[in-house]
């Protein structure tokens, strides 16, 4: 029943997108919860963050190549607070770009940049005319607004063979295009942003063994950071090199994120500063643990050392942004979890976009979920969506696992999900870290909790 309902809601969402209405999503990690998304290129435009990811779909005998990447279009998502994301719908489709080989399902990692009142969306894909390139080349679509409508150029950028375009505009106004094809290449762009102004050069001195791709260049305090996924061991990790010039040479400097803990072979990222905080956008295969070409975008905070080097980012489920206390707080997207007695599982393994649940089964087992905004007005009760076959009891605390008890929540025995409401015993205004703690050894599952 829940399954059918979920499919119905997804159908309605897709219909709404088709007729051009935007959809609002609440998110921790992964950021996008109703479709696969990969290769996030995040940009700050005005007072919002826009993310331009690839859109993985599953190949079938009729579309794409089973077992391989399959992408036919791009969506753009935006947020003003990094918690509530708007899906602006499809901005470019493979079969609506005149030079793209129809049904090639190869709309790989894109990027977007603003210049002189226009938004330039760069995307790599397969041309139908192989005189442009055998394999991948890069095209551009142009819009007046970051969410489009984007108008594709009639032909791809000449003299670019490869994938993963990335654009950087330096302080002097010179724009650069980067891409990958075994090596990482860079070239100047003309002011029109759709033609190269110089011959492509191979950027050095980067690792010469193991695949490198997905370049993303940014500048901070006069240093140019060339960041890229690289296979140092068996799968990709995010690394960076620094230099004094947008075209290098660069000096290999460090690792930004280790290989995916879920074994996702690719990673692909972007780095932005938004309201004084730096963020790393990247992807894992959260909704598709058994197939790593159906990925999901994520974001975590990124910090620099005083010498300008980047502190390694550990992927979290919690991600970024503040969660309002009166929403359905998905505690399975935790910051920390107790060493034993607590775990996370899909709500329904046959319908993974329904998300996850927290399973507590030992006295004192807990999960920690940070940055919940209780506001200033006193809250009176908490609701927990929970299930406990033998019955059980939870405690909700703030500050730390032994901090003030906000509520005691008894869960009646039963195999069905129930909404359990309990009075608040303690209230503190503002942003708090939340702990949900098991009071007994019984098996308790929690879908979400929220405060009224
Ligand atoms: O998404 C397809 C390809 O996988 C991208 O272009 C690469 O960067 C890797 O993430």
């Amino acid at each position: 029943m829940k399954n059918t309902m979920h499919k119905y809601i997804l159908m309605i969402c897709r219909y709404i997108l088709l007729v051009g209405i935007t959809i609002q999503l609440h998110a921790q990690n992964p950021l996008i919860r109703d479709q696969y998304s990969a290769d996030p290129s995040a940009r700050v435009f005005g007072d919002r963050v826009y993310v331009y990811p690839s859109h993985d779909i599953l190949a079938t005998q009729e579309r794409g190549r089973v077992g391989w990447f399959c992408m036919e279009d791009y969506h753009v998502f935006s947020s003003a607070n990094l918690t509530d994301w708007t899906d602006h719908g499809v901005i470019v489709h493979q079969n609506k770009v005149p030079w793209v080989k129809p049904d090639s399902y190869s709309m790989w990692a894109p990027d977007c940049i603003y210049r002189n009142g226009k938004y330039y969306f760069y995307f790599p894909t397969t041309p139908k005319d192989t005189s442009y390139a055998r394999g991948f080349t890069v095209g551009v679509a142009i819009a007046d607004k970051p969410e489009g409508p984007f108008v594709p150029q009639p032909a791809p950028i000449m003299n670019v063979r490869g994938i993963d375009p990335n654009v950087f505009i330096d302080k002097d106004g010179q724009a650069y295009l980067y891409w990958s094809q075994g090596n990482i290449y860079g070239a100047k762009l003309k002011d029109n942003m759709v033609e190269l102004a110089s011959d492509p050069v191979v950027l050095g001195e980067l690792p010469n063994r193991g695949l490198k791709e997905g370049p993303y260049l940014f500048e901070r305090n006069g240093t140019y950071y060339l960041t890229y996924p690289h296979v140092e061991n068996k799968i990709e990790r995010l690394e960076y090199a620094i230099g004094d010039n947008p075209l290098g040479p660069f000096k290999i400097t460090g690792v930004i994120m280790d290989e995916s803990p879920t074994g996702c072979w690719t990673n692909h990222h972007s780095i932005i500063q938004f309201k004084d905080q730096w963020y790393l956008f990247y992807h894992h295969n959260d909704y598709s643990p058994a197939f790593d070409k159906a990925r999901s975008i994520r974001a975590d905070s990124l910090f620099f050392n005083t010498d300008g080097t980047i502190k390694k980012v550990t992927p979290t489920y919690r991600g970024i942004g503040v969660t309002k206390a009166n929403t359905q707080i998905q505690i399975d997207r935790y910051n920390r979890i107790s060493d034993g007695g607590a775990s996370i599982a899909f709500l329904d393994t046959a319908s993974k976009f329904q998300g996850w649940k927290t399973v507590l089964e030992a006295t004192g087992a807990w999960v920690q979920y940070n940055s919940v905004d209780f506001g200033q007005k006193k809250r009176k009760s908490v609701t927990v969506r929970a299930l406990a076959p033998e019955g059980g009891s939870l405690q909700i605390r703030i500050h730390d696992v032994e901090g003030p008890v906000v509520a005691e929540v008894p869960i009646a025995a039963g195999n069905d999900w129930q909404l359990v409401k309990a009075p608040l015993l303690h209230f503190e205004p503002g942003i708090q870290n939340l702990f949900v703690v098991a009071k007994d050894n019984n098996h308790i599952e929690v879908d979400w909790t929220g405060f009224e």
Side-chain angles (χ1 to χ4, degrees):
M1 171 67 185
K2 198 174 164 194
N3 216 341
T4 317
M5 182 68 105
H6 186 68
K7 279 185 191 140
Y8 184 62
I9 291 168
L10 280 181
M11 254 169 53
I12 294 176
C13 292
R14 286 199 184 107
Y15 170 75
I16 290 171
L17 279 175
L18 281 176
V19 296
I21 302 169
T22 55
I23 287 188
Q24 203 69 29
L25 311 154
H26 303 278
Q28 297 84 42
N29 278 335
L31 293 178
I32 307 304
R33 302 216 158 166
D34 62 349
Q35 60 191 280
Y36 299 119
S37 54
D39 307 324
S41 181
R43 294 288 175 191
V44 179
F45 294 138
D47 55 5
R48 293 180 80 80
V49 172
Y50 288 80
V51 184
Y52 300 84
S54 310
H55 181 196
D56 289 340
I57 55 176
L58 298 178
T60 63
Q61 294 304 334
E62 290 74 43
R63 69 176 190 196
R65 183 173 132 207
V66 173
W68 189 237
F69 299 107
C70 184
M71 294 106 116
E72 64 183 351
D73 61 19
Y74 299 100
H75 287 230
V76 57
F77 302 86
S78 77
S79 176
N81 61 10
L82 305 176
T83 298
D84 304 306
W85 290 88
T86 301
D87 181 352
H88 299 278
V90 173
I91 52 169
V92 173
H93 188 284
Q94 60 178 3
N95 294 345
K96 295 197 175 140
V97 181
W99 56 267
V100 173
K101 185 176 171 195
D103 294 332
S104 44
Y105 295 99
S106 55
M107 307 296 268
W108 285 19
D111 194 8
C112 189
I113 200 114
Y114 170 80
R115 174 154 213 169
N116 294 338
K118 300 275 183 205
Y119 296 84
Y120 295 86
F121 179 74
Y122 296 80
F123 56 97
T125 191
T126 317
K128 57 184 165 205
D129 178 349
T130 52
S131 67
Y132 288 131
R134 285 190 184 278
F136 279 83
T137 185
V138 171
V140 192
I142 305 173
D144 294 328
K145 290 189 286 181
E147 68 274 23
F150 281 90
V151 178
Q153 291 290 286
I157 305 178
M158 293 301 119
N159 210 12
V160 176
R161 277 166 213 91
I163 59 170
D164 298 349
N166 163 240
V167 181
F168 168 72
I169 302 178
D170 205 358
K171 289 188 292 281
D172 61 4
Q174 177 63 57
Y176 296 83
L177 178 69
Y178 303 90
W179 66 95
S180 58
Q181 169 89 322
N183 285 305
I184 294 180
Y185 293 83
K188 288 183 177 173
L189 275 170
K190 290 188 181 168
D191 283 349
N192 66 14
M193 299 299 275
V194 298
E195 287 176 281
L196 296 190
S198 67
D199 285 336
V201 292
V202 173
L203 302 186
E205 310 284 330
L206 304 179
N208 46 30
R209 282 189 38 243
L211 180 74
K212 303 177 287 291
E213 55 182 0
Y216 183 87
L217 190 129
F218 68 96
E219 182 267 346
R220 179 178 179 268
N221 296 338
T223 298
Y224 297 88
Y225 293 76
L226 175 64
T227 65
Y228 48 88
H230 169 229
V231 183
E232 170 67 20
N233 302 304
K234 288 192 169 150
I235 62 174
E236 290 180 343
R237 67 182 190 185
L238 303 180
E239 301 179 7
Y240 73 108
I242 59 172
D244 298 329
N245 186 294
L247 292 176
F250 295 95
K251 179 171 170 282
I252 297 170
T253 307
V255 175
I256 303 171
M257 177 173 275
D258 284 330
E259 289 88 346
S260 154
T262 55
C264 186
W265 200 95
T266 62
N267 200 351
H268 186 114
H269 68 297
S270 54
I271 293 172
I272 56 163
Q273 187 181 22
F274 182 59
K275 298 184 178 164
D276 296 329
Q277 175 63 52
W278 288 82
Y279 297 98
L280 172 72
F281 286 73
Y282 60 100
H283 71 224
H284 281 168
N285 54 335
D286 294 283
Y287 286 117
S288 174
F291 179 58
D292 67 357
K293 292 171 185 63
R295 300 156 295 177
S296 291
I297 64 169
R298 298 166 139 245
D300 275 298
S301 299
L302 176 138
F303 299 91
F304 290 86
N305 294 304
T306 46
D307 64 0
T309 53
I310 296 175
K311 293 190 180 180
K312 205 188 261 188
V313 179
T314 303
T316 72
Y317 288 129
R318 176 63 186 85
I320 56 178
V322 168
T323 302
K324 291 205 181 71
N326 64 348
T327 56
Q328 295 181 3
I329 305 166
Q330 305 292 335
I331 57 164
D332 48 79
R333 306 295 86 196
Y334 61 80
N335 287 86
R336 293 200 304 145
I337 193 164
S338 60
D339 273 345
S343 58
I344 305 301
F346 282 110
L347 281 164
D348 180 351
T349 50
S351 178
K352 296 198 176 65
F353 285 117
Q354 284 190 43
W356 294 267
K357 60 189 175 187
T358 305
V359 182
L360 299 171
E361 36 199 352
T363 305
W366 53 268
V367 285
Q368 174 181 353
Y369 184 103
N370 287 355
S371 300
V372 176
D373 188 358
F374 283 83
Q376 298 303 315
K377 203 173 118 233
K378 194 165 179 203
R379 310 251 162 211
K380 296 199 177 70
S381 61
V382 62
T383 298
V384 182
R385 185 168 191 262
L387 176 163
E390 310 292 327
S393 176
L394 297 172
Q395 249 177 4
I396 303 196
R397 295 176 181 254
I398 51 171
H399 300 330
D400 60 59
V401 73
E402 294 185 343
V405 177
V406 167
E408 302 270 2
V409 188
I411 321 283
N415 288 318
D416 294 328
W417 288 102
Q418 358 166 1
L419 291 180
V420 185
K421 195 167 181 170
L424 277 209
L425 307 172
H426 176 85
F427 173 77
E428 285 184 38
I431 295 175
Q432 309 293 345
N433 295 343
L434 208 65
F435 291 78
V436 177
V437 189
K439 286 264 298 199
D440 46 48
N441 278 325
N442 291 355
H443 178 106
I444 307 175
E445 300 185 0
V446 179
D447 183 4
W448 52 262
T449 181
F451 298 84
E452 302 87 38

